[in-house]
Amino acid sequence: MTHKILVLPGDGIGPEVMAQAVRVLDTFKAEGEALEWSFGLLGGCAVDAEGDPYPASTRAAARAADAVLLAAVGGPKYDNLPRDKRPERGLLAIRKDLNLFANLRPALAFEELADSSSLKREVVAGLDLLILRELTGGIYFGQPRGRRQDDNGDEQGFDSMYYSVPEVERIARVAFDAARKRGKRLTSVDKENVLETSRVWRETVARIGRDYPDVELSHLYVDNAAMQLVRNPRQFDVIVTGNMFGDILSDEASMITGSIGMLPSASLDEHGKGMYEPVHGSAPDIAGQDKANPLATILSVGMMFRYSFARGDLADRIEAAVKRVLANGLRTGDIARKGEAVTGTRAMGDAVVAALATNKR
Ligand code: NAD
């Protein structure tokens, strides 16, 4: 079966980092893997070409593909457009259109980069955790919301937080499945001592857990989880949580690893179809200068093979190649320490492709 991929380079450094990720696809295709890909427009480049950040042509291609690879969208050129024409609208629209409800963000602290973290080397070196955030429900989407007068006649803002049992069941299953592929430990994060939503969350996760006796399940309150992440992040394997808690904890975990240019992510639907993208944005300050770190986008390709194509072997090869180039001392500007030689985007891609050639099975 041929895997069909839609490639969306986007804006800013997007096309530069995506070009290096596509070289990884080229490498595997040349080895005989059945891969096919086409390019599409999303974000600012789509506004320029078609007047719409998520044009119909991209929508059709995204629906037809088995997986979508995205670099980044946005830039100062688009900051003054009306809200519905902003590049980030394109991002929200494609996530919604493809029903991508599960967001996976690994936080991996490469041994070689442990000094870039804001925490001590001995606390982070070797960190390898995965945060799973529910992406389409919870307080960010709950209705009603708005402004009204309270009983004293004062203006108040209000939001609604809901999680239905099926919504929790499906994210819990993705989390248990992911834990099964890793260290077999899952921590569910909620605020069960205060929130009714969290009671439903906790009961449902525990019930689904009975189908996964091989995965060790624990529960943490979100305030404790935030504390434990900076105290001893290596105690975690997989964390699953709702939309708002996940938003906050995943950014906290990213910072612990030390470099935004190294972090991939995945957003999955119910059938394992997904969109894969680096956590960083379009970095307009360094766009077009061969300075961007392509490794987060390359690692996103790895996640695509692992989660959408069940090819953990190819994902392992990509991760090993990235470790190898770091061990060999290659550093783009964002991960170089003072005095270290700086490698460009393209040369970093060369090094990864060369490392892949040496770790063939
Ligand atoms: P950003 O992630 O683009 O950049 C933050 C800082 O990190 C910058 O100094 C940048 O140079 C650096 N950086 C980011 N990625 C890097 C890489 N791969 N290699 C080296 N350095 C890197 O965030 P921002 O500056 O807040 O946003 C810039 C634009 O990107 C905005 O238009 C924003 O809306 C957009 N954005 C898009 C996404 C996305 O597409 N998912 C996410 C965040 C921001």
Side-chain angles (χ1 to χ4, degrees):
M1 194 188 80
T2 300
H3 296 303
K4 284 194 293 179
I5 305 159
L6 174 65
V7 178
L8 302 171
D11 309 315
I13 59 168
E16 294 167 72
V17 294
M18 188 58 89
Q20 303 314 313
V22 168
R23 294 176 67 200
V24 171
L25 299 180
D26 282 328
T27 303
F28 288 156
K29 189 166 179 169
E31 287 177 14
E33 298 297 339
L35 301 172
E36 220 174 63
W37 59 93
S38 60
F39 291 86
L41 298 171
L42 186 84
C45 59
V47 173
D48 289 340
E50 315 225 3
D52 182 348
Y54 183 43
S57 53
T58 303
R59 191 177 318 129
R63 287 179 183 176
D66 300 314
V68 179
L69 266 181
L70 167 67
V73 301
K77 179 179 167 191
Y78 310 103
D79 284 351
N80 296 321
L81 290 176
R83 198 180 274 266
D84 65 320
K85 293 269 189 272
R86 296 259 181 92
E88 49 273 33
R89 275 279 129 189
L91 205 55
L92 293 177
I94 190 170
R95 284 182 184 146
K96 184 158 191 266
D97 187 39
L98 300 181
N99 201 14
L100 306 175
F101 70 92
N103 183 235
L104 284 73
R105 273 175 58 169
L108 203 65
F110 290 93
E111 196 68 41
E112 293 78 10
L113 303 180
D115 292 319
S116 319
S117 171
S118 49
L119 301 183
K120 292 192 196 99
R121 160 177 276 277
E122 58 269 29
V123 177
V124 287
L127 170 73
D128 177 3
L129 80 88
L130 175 68
I131 298 197
L132 247 139
R133 165 186 172 196
E134 200 289 330
L135 204 56
T136 55
I139 195 164
Y140 292 173
F141 293 93
Q143 294 289 345
R145 62 195 295 164
R147 287 164 181 246
R148 63 186 172 199
Q149 274 188 348
D150 69 9
D151 293 341
N152 301 322
D154 294 320
E155 186 184 16
Q156 69 176 190
F158 67 100
D159 299 276
S160 303
M161 183 156 171
Y162 301 97
Y163 269 115
S164 69
V165 168
E167 276 178 311
V168 183
E169 283 174 346
R170 66 179 188 174
I171 188 81
R173 287 198 187 280
V174 177
F176 280 107
D177 285 337
R180 220 172 222 178
K181 290 186 191 154
R182 297 174 36 106
K184 299 194 166 49
R185 285 181 300 116
L186 177 65
T187 306
S188 172
V189 170
D190 59 38
K191 191 69 184 168
E192 192 253 4
N193 50 344
V194 178
L195 297 176
E196 210 54 53
T197 327
S198 285
R199 286 194 193 115
V200 170
W201 179 280
R202 189 176 283 216
E203 276 166 30
T204 307
V205 172
R207 178 167 49 74
I208 297 297
R210 288 188 217 126
D211 295 343
Y212 297 82
D214 52 323
V215 177
E216 184 192 316
L217 171 67
S218 56
H219 302 273
L220 268 191
Y221 296 140
V222 62
D223 43 343
N224 192 11
M227 209 158 67
Q228 296 300 330
L229 266 177
V230 286
R231 194 183 72 84
N232 175 20
R234 283 184 307 195
Q235 68 184 285
F236 297 112
D237 176 23
V238 180
I239 291 176
V240 64
T241 190
N243 203 343
M244 180 165 62
F245 299 157
D247 190 3
I248 299 164
L249 294 180
S250 60
D251 268 12
E252 185 187 0
S254 305
M255 274 317 295
I256 294 171
T257 68
S259 172
I260 193 162
M262 298 293 306
L263 298 169
S265 78
S267 305
L268 304 180
D269 77 359
E270 232 151 330
H271 311 288
K273 174 168 172 170
M275 184 158 86
Y276 297 85
E277 55 182 312
V279 165
H280 62 72
S282 60
D285 51 331
I286 56 166
Q289 301 171 34
D290 196 43
K291 284 184 179 167
N293 186 346
L295 295 178
T297 311
I298 288 172
L299 289 167
S300 300
V301 175
M303 288 191 85
M304 176 182 76
F305 282 112
R306 189 179 304 284
Y307 291 103
S308 281
F309 302 159
R311 291 296 304 271
D313 57 327
L314 297 180
D316 288 346
R317 279 182 61 195
I318 292 175
E319 285 162 19
V322 168
K323 282 202 176 110
R324 174 86 176 263
V325 303
L326 294 175
N328 288 345
L330 272 79
R331 302 281 186 274
T332 42
D334 57 315
I335 52 174
R337 276 186 291 163
K338 261 210 171 84
E340 276 183 329
V342 170
T343 302
T345 310
R346 166 96 205 171
M348 194 55 121
D350 290 343
V352 172
V353 168
L356 280 175
T358 64
N359 72 12
K360 255 191 262 182
R361 236 146 256 255

